Amino acid sequence: MRACPVVGSGAAEALERVPAYIDDRLAEDLSPGAIAAAHHISVRHLHALFRASGATVGDHVRRRRLERIRRDLLDPALKHLPAYVLASRTGLGEASHFSRVFRAEFGLSPRAVREQARGGA
């Protein structure tokens, strides 16, 4: 994320803390209210931080969850776990929704990503 010119001097620090917080808690409640409360800032301020970076809070959380799932799909040590299990570990537990948003983000199904990692498709 880039620095936010419209918020106070703590914005740069918050822009480092908030994404790290999200990455560390992908399976937890990551509603804007929960994230803001954990950082002792208002929801409005949280939204302003993300708006300055060109994304919404929800977009960022969803993208980070999908990136974590993709990383896990490519990990040979996790090949025994179905994609829906990996998704549920990051808070994307509804299988059909997960599959749709994954394909929209990466242009491939979770299965296709895993097959490519094995040298298949």
Side-chain angles (χ1 to χ4, degrees):
M1 293 182 166
R2 59 186 164 86
C4 178
V6 291
V7 291
S9 62
E13 183 181 325
L15 284 171
E16 290 178 16
R17 283 192 335 256
V18 172
Y21 175 88
I22 290 169
D23 284 349
D24 290 343
R25 293 166 179 80
L26 289 175
E28 298 176 17
D29 172 18
L30 290 174
S31 66
I35 296 167
H39 290 88
H40 310 289
I41 60 175
S42 69
V43 173
R44 182 177 177 188
H45 184 72
L46 177 70
H47 283 299
L49 291 171
F50 278 87
R51 187 171 33 256
S53 73
T56 68
V57 177
D59 290 341
H60 180 79
V61 169
R62 183 176 46 257
R63 186 171 44 268
R64 295 303 298 150
R65 284 177 167 157
L66 291 169
E67 288 170 355
R68 175 72 51 85
I69 295 164
R70 184 174 185 279
R71 184 196 73 194
D72 289 349
L73 286 168
L74 297 172
D75 185 343
L78 300 175
K79 68 181 178 184
H80 65 285
L81 294 174
Y84 72 87
V85 170
L86 299 175
S88 68
R89 291 174 153 188
T90 64
L92 291 175
E94 213 293 302
S96 63
H97 172 72
F98 154 65
S99 188
R100 277 192 308 274
V101 296
F102 189 93
R103 184 183 297 271
E105 180 74 19
F106 300 113
L108 295 169
S109 69
R111 179 180 301 219
V113 167
R114 192 168 255 172
E115 287 173 359
Q116 277 188 342
R118 287 187 217 149

